[in-house]
Amino acid sequence: MTLPIFNRAGYQPLTDLPEPMRPWRDRPTRWENLSPTTGTYHLNSAGVYMYYPATGGPYDHPVGQIQFGLGCIASHRTETDPARKALFLARAKAQADRLIATHDEARGAWWFPYPFAFTHAVHSGVSYQPPWYSGMAQGEAISLFCQLAQLDAVTDDERARYMAAADGAFASLQVTDDGYPWAVNINRSGYVWLQEYPGSQPGAGDYTYNGMIYAMFGLWDYYAATGSAEAATLYDGCATTIVRYFSLLRNPRWFSFYCQTHRIPAPTYHQHHIELFRQLHWQTGCADFADATDRLVDDVPAPRVSGSVQFAAGTYTLYRFDTAADGAWVSAKADAELERKTVTFSRATQAPASMRRRIQDRGIYYRISAGAYEGWWVGEVWSSVYLLGTYLPTVYQPSRTITLPGDSAQVTAYKVGADGSVLDTQTVAAAASSSVPADRRAIVNGRPMYLLEAGELSGYWVPASSVTADTSGPSTS
């Protein structure tokens, strides 16, 4: 089976990643969640993760089973207690074995059916009768089988069985929408998509971003396990598609969109998008994915950041917004302004904050959590109002290239303590621009900054607004 030609920019899956940066290592199954016996999703008597709706069932839920299994593998890798380690492995095997036992075969490939009717509550047109299939499940199943096969604790027979299953699942991503079932299509502009929700007609689908990227991780795992040229080619095409359509995923200064078809902001998926693009940077080594990560972080940063807000002497406007009781955003309330007042501080002062987040249709604000202004919000403004410390870090792998400006433009670099205290500063103003590697980015004392790792400014943070970071894609050399 060979896919038709699709657009490729030359992205290569890099397999020499540190263990924590490999797919699914960031989502371990916690020990206390290893044996759920109640709830909409819990284990049956064989240890298989099943879907128990209010009526009917239980049903297999391929993505649920796969992600539970991958979480168990992640925990198995790091667990030191032998009994717990063995149970994590047993749970992962149970999910894989169930998928193998229930798979369908069609078009020379393995497919993992959803045996229940499903209609998406928000996205029109996503409606299925059983059995139906998802490209997200197809790609994630490859990860589950490949990762199990790589564990020392499985037998040679199990390893062969799991790799045969991975081969069958990978074959499903080598056929397009000219038959049924299908999970891959190439749009009219020549870009390839792995469809989480394939449509009933060729070319139809939801064009869901997170589902496609999770399926791409299966291509990465399959390439790492087999060296498959076909997997590398499809990974390249998918990465090319994600970069091409990032501008349609991004929703500047607000939650990114869930899919291309409906373009509905996705509050519960925005942080997933950030982490997925971060991993695509690690997997490809290309800075365009790191740049996308940074933009998404700045659009809507993770809100569960707390600490001390530093106020310079001056006059400030405080606000009350219509939010959840803890300050979280609520769609129906939309952060409507309820009240405002002006306060003046005759000298520098501090206040505790329980949250730093984007307020809808506004900037970044801090929620004061104690004292005379408890429950009020104040806008982040450097250098008069900012949260002390370093938070929301993004580790770059590989490092990015930061260019310091020439023309004697001044750049102040900071060495910062864990509490946000400035330990040292250096100001440079060179006639010619120069490049320095940076291994991470974070919000430091209320500003996006890069941590330089070479030269006279090694170990110093430089404000993102003072320098330029590379945004390059694959090398064309």
Side-chain angles (χ1 to χ4, degrees), residues 115-461:
F116 54 87
F118 172 71
T119 298
H120 200 291
V122 177
H123 293 199
S124 60
V126 178
S127 185
Y128 297 106
Q129 292 298 314
W132 55 277
Y133 308 91
S134 167
M136 182 178 182
Q138 297 300 122
E140 289 185 359
I142 299 171
S143 283
L144 177 62
F145 296 137
C146 286
Q147 291 195 28
L148 266 176
Q150 292 169 346
L151 297 178
D152 293 338
V154 302
T155 67
D156 289 343
D157 286 346
E158 288 172 330
R159 184 169 292 108
R161 183 167 179 257
Y162 293 138
M163 283 311 301
D167 292 341
F170 177 70
S172 73
L173 302 184
Q174 293 293 289
V175 296
T176 60
D177 53 353
D178 57 351
Y180 188 83
W182 67 273
V184 177
N185 73 289
I186 300 169
N187 70 14
R188 286 178 289 185
S189 298
Y191 291 91
V192 65
W193 285 85
L194 308 183
Q195 293 283 3
E196 178 176 354
Y197 296 115
S200 58
Q201 301 297 320
D206 216 35
Y207 294 84
T208 305
Y209 301 109
N210 84 92
M212 175 159 166
I213 299 174
Y214 279 124
M216 286 175 62
F217 292 176
L219 298 175
W220 188 96
D221 275 317
Y222 193 73
Y223 176 74
T226 68
S228 165
E230 292 80 7
T233 296
L234 183 53
Y235 184 96
D236 178 12
C238 291
T240 301
T241 297
I242 290 296
V243 170
R244 165 63 181 82
Y245 292 106
F246 174 70
S247 62
L248 295 183
L249 174 148
R250 189 181 175 218
N251 185 15
R253 295 172 60 86
W254 199 232
F255 298 113
S256 47
F257 295 112
Y258 178 79
C259 71
Q260 191 178 112
T261 297
H262 296 91
R263 291 181 60 76
I264 298 172
T268 58
Y269 282 87
H270 184 80
Q271 297 305 317
H272 289 306
H273 289 160
I274 290 171
E275 183 55 37
L276 292 172
F277 274 85
R278 185 177 288 136
Q279 292 188 58
L280 288 178
H281 175 231
W282 298 341
Q283 290 176 18
T284 64
C286 293
D288 45 6
F289 287 114
D291 182 64
T293 303
D294 297 342
R295 291 175 184 272
L296 294 174
V297 168
D298 292 344
D299 284 336
V300 182
R304 300 301 176 182
V305 172
S306 59
S308 296
V309 176
Q310 177 71 44
F311 289 85
T315 298
Y316 301 92
T317 301
L318 304 183
Y319 299 86
R320 287 194 186 277
F321 298 117
D322 199 1
T323 69
D326 65 352
W329 177 80
V330 177
S331 176
K333 297 175 180 288
D335 289 338
E337 183 181 322
L338 301 177
E339 187 179 1
R340 68 170 66 184
K341 68 178 177 181
T342 300
V343 297
T344 300
F345 301 126
S346 59
R347 57 185 175 84
T349 189
Q350 293 183 5
S354 60
M355 186 173 290
R356 172 189 184 265
R357 76 167 176 88
R358 171 79 62 186
I359 295 297
Q360 186 169 345
D361 299 323
R362 297 176 184 249
I364 304 297
Y365 283 71
Y366 304 121
R367 185 173 188 265
I368 300 172
S369 57
Y373 307 113
E374 181 177 0
W376 290 82
W377 297 80
V378 62
E380 178 179 87
V381 180
W382 172 262
S383 60
S384 55
V385 184
Y386 57 90
L387 190 68
L388 292 165
T390 301
Y391 37 93
L392 302 183
T394 289
V395 175
Y396 294 138
Q397 171 72 19
S399 298
R400 291 182 73 183
T401 299
I402 304 301
T403 301
L404 304 174
D407 298 325
S408 299
Q410 289 191 344
V411 175
T412 300
Y414 303 82
K415 185 162 283 189
V416 179
D419 61 354
S421 57
V422 177
L423 306 178
D424 189 31
T425 63
Q426 288 197 45
T427 299
V428 296
S433 62
S434 59
S435 296
V436 185
D439 67 354
R440 69 193 60 215
R441 181 187 192 262
I443 308 302
V444 182
N445 289 344
R447 287 192 290 177
M449 294 194 185
Y450 300 106
L451 182 62
L452 304 184
E453 57 172 339
E456 63 179 323
L457 296 180
S458 180
Y460 283 76
W461 293 91

